[in-house]
């Protein structure tokens, strides 16, 4: 009486085993992904991807020269602003 179906597993048994196997592997993969993300989190001892080294910030004169080279300002504007940057004074504007 104990083995009504013999030693065979019915259709629902196969379904339950298949679903259990899928859930088991999904759980294992999820735990592995969470563990990887926790260990590879930025701000740890060493970042996974290093940022490229940045040089010193450009000086105001270099920025002005770049604007002149790109054609954003003309030569007169460049010379006037360069003179002001170097401590000279530009043309005085007078009020009438």
């Amino acid at each position: 009486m104990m083995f009504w179906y013999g030693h065979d597993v019915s259709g629902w048994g196969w379904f339950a085993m298949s679903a259990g196997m899928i859930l088991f592997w999904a759980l294992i993969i999820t735990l592995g992904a969470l563990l990887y993300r926790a260990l590879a989190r930025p701000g740890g001892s060493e970042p996974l991807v290093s940022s490229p080294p940045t040089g010193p910030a450009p000086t105001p004169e270099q920025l002005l020269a770049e604007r002149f080279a790109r054609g954003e300002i003309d030569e007169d504007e460049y010379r006037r602003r360069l003179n002001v940057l170097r401590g000279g004074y530009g043309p005085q504007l007078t009020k009438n």
Side-chain angles (χ1 to χ4, degrees), residues 20-85:
M21 182 180 64
I22 290 170
L23 289 174
F24 171 77
W25 284 110
L27 179 67
I28 294 296
I29 291 170
T30 302
L31 288 176
L34 290 174
L35 181 64
Y36 174 76
R37 288 184 64 185
L39 294 177
R41 179 167 298 169
S45 61
E46 183 177 327
L48 291 178
V49 178
S50 62
S51 61
T54 57
T59 64
E61 290 180 2
Q62 289 173 336
L63 291 174
L64 186 62
E66 288 175 9
R67 288 188 64 197
F68 177 62
R70 285 192 300 258
E72 293 178 11
I73 56 175
D74 62 0
E75 185 178 355
D76 293 333
E77 179 85 10
Y78 171 74
R79 292 192 187 280
R80 187 169 40 86
R81 289 182 183 216
L82 188 61
N83 187 27
V84 170
L85 282 176

